[in-house]
Amino acid sequence: MKIIGAGLPKTGTTSTAVALKMLGYTVHDHLEHLGYNFDNYCDLLNGVVDENILKEMYEDVDAVMDTPAAHFWENLMTFFPDAKVILTVRDSDEHWIKSAINHLEYTLRTNWWCQHHVYAPLLGLLSTTTRRIRQFYSQIVSLSGGADTISLPDISRSPPLGISRVVLRNHYNMHNRAVKSTVPGDKLLIFNVKEGWGPLCKFLNKPIPEGPFPRENQALQDGGIPIVDQILETTVFDKAIREIWISIAKLGVISTIAVFTGAVYVGLLDLDSLKSKFLPSPWTS
């Protein structure tokens, strides 16, 4: 690994990941974390495996950005001591808080797997993967913002989502201070995507590409597909949806058998007459 992205979500991580890809690096951003290492992260977050799994996951990857990898930046530094660290930041903690709350509010209002309606937990009963997805995002949102927003019961509360801005501000600033105080200065770039190609390319000793710096995950403002909707196209969510439909089909078969058996038992259906109607005697010409 050559680059460790230590910035929290909503700090320009997606734009930076795209920029790194344009510079020739293989990058695992949030969608790649889901696609390649969802099960590994579930095991890591739940104590099934230890941090050594991170080395196995990323020894052939040039760079990582965004959650959940960003929360393990210090572990990654231990495994890849020659890697450089990029700490993506916003203009201020208030800018980050506003963006994080908007992102979470949109996610909770629009995505079936975490909406606070009765059917969302019920879908978890139909699919093991859905339960794992809900737990996974509850855990990484707690790591990202210092609050468990996925399980909040009411998103119509004021302030939005019932999240303390003090908690978010403290978490953002403490995270950034920890990175700045731990990573040696010659290996650390504190980067705001508004700065464009210059600081990034200088830090990585790369020539500046033609064209503007990428501007990703602006879909809520630009009318594109938000990253929180793109995750629904990953293999993890495909698996969850398949499990739900298989469970519904099984329940349908079981319900049909149960209704038929009950009707026969209480006398609503005459089994002998049904046999004579649908299974005629072989002696009948």
Side-chain angles (χ1 to χ4, degrees):
M1 178 174 290
K2 301 173 182 177
I3 301 166
I4 300 168
L8 291 174
K10 307 310 298 176
T11 59
T13 53
T14 304
S15 297
T16 305
V18 172
L20 293 174
K21 291 176 184 178
M22 293 173 66
L23 293 174
Y25 295 99
T26 58
V27 185
H28 278 202
D29 195 18
H30 185 65
L31 294 179
E32 287 80 15
H33 299 320
L34 279 182
Y36 293 106
N37 286 301
F38 174 74
D39 289 331
N40 286 331
Y41 270 116
C42 287
D43 289 343
L44 178 60
L45 291 168
N46 288 296
V48 178
V49 298
D50 63 18
E51 66 273 16
N52 288 294
I53 193 66
L54 294 166
K55 184 176 182 180
E56 298 177 26
M57 289 158 55
Y58 295 124
E59 59 185 354
D60 296 322
V61 177
D62 291 335
V64 293
M65 296 296 299
D66 208 346
T67 185
H71 307 303
F72 298 96
W73 60 271
E74 200 163 6
N75 304 102
L76 291 169
M77 284 181 60
T78 300
F79 294 127
F80 307 103
D82 295 329
K84 294 184 175 182
V85 178
I86 298 176
L87 176 64
T88 46
V89 296
R90 297 298 292 262
D91 292 344
S92 68
D93 51 18
E94 280 300 320
H95 280 86
W96 180 77
I97 291 170
K98 180 181 178 180
S99 180
I101 289 178
N102 287 342
H103 176 88
L104 290 168
E105 187 174 21
Y106 176 84
T107 303
L108 291 168
R109 289 188 185 281
T110 61
N111 283 271
W112 58 266
W113 53 273
C114 66
Q115 285 179 330
H116 300 302
H117 300 294
V118 65
Y119 70 80
L122 288 177
L123 292 178
L125 298 176
L126 300 176
S127 163
T128 300
T129 301
T130 299
R131 291 196 298 274
R132 285 167 67 83
I133 288 170
R134 287 172 61 84
Q135 182 185 38
F136 170 77
Y137 275 102
S138 179
Q139 290 169 318
I140 66 170
V141 168
S142 297
L143 289 170
S144 299
D148 182 1
T149 56
I150 297 299
S151 63
L152 284 176
D154 184 2
I155 61 173
S156 64
R157 295 166 59 184
S158 180
L161 305 177
I163 299 175
S164 168
R165 298 177 71 89
V166 174
V167 171
L168 288 174
R169 181 180 298 106
N170 288 348
H171 183 77
Y172 175 80
N173 289 324
M174 285 190 294
H175 174 87
N176 289 350
R177 281 197 298 269
V179 176
K180 293 174 184 178
S181 63
T182 302
V183 183
D186 61 334
K187 288 188 175 182
L188 175 64
L189 173 66
I190 302 170
F191 182 56
N192 187 320
V193 294
K194 290 183 177 180
E195 298 175 273
W197 287 112
L200 182 65
C201 291
K202 181 179 179 181
F203 180 65
L204 299 174
N205 297 314
K206 292 281 187 178
I208 296 178
E210 296 183 3
F213 191 86
R215 183 172 178 266
E216 301 294 322
N217 206 14
Q218 296 289 321
L220 290 179
Q221 292 79 26
D222 298 344
I225 302 176
I227 190 71
V228 294
D229 292 342
Q230 294 178 38
I231 67 172
L232 300 179
E233 301 174 6
T234 60
T235 55
V236 174
F237 282 83
D238 285 343
K239 182 180 179 182
I241 292 170
R242 285 197 305 271
E243 290 175 357
I244 290 169
W245 282 114
I246 290 171
S247 295
I248 290 173
K250 289 180 179 179
L251 287 174
V253 172
I254 293 170
S255 299
T256 300
I257 294 173
V259 170
F260 180 82
T261 304
V264 171
Y265 180 79
V266 299
L268 295 177
L269 288 177
D270 185 345
L271 191 59
D272 290 334
S273 64
L274 288 175
K275 286 181 179 179
S276 63
K277 182 175 181 180
F278 294 103
L279 298 172
S281 170
W283 305 109
T284 302
S285 58

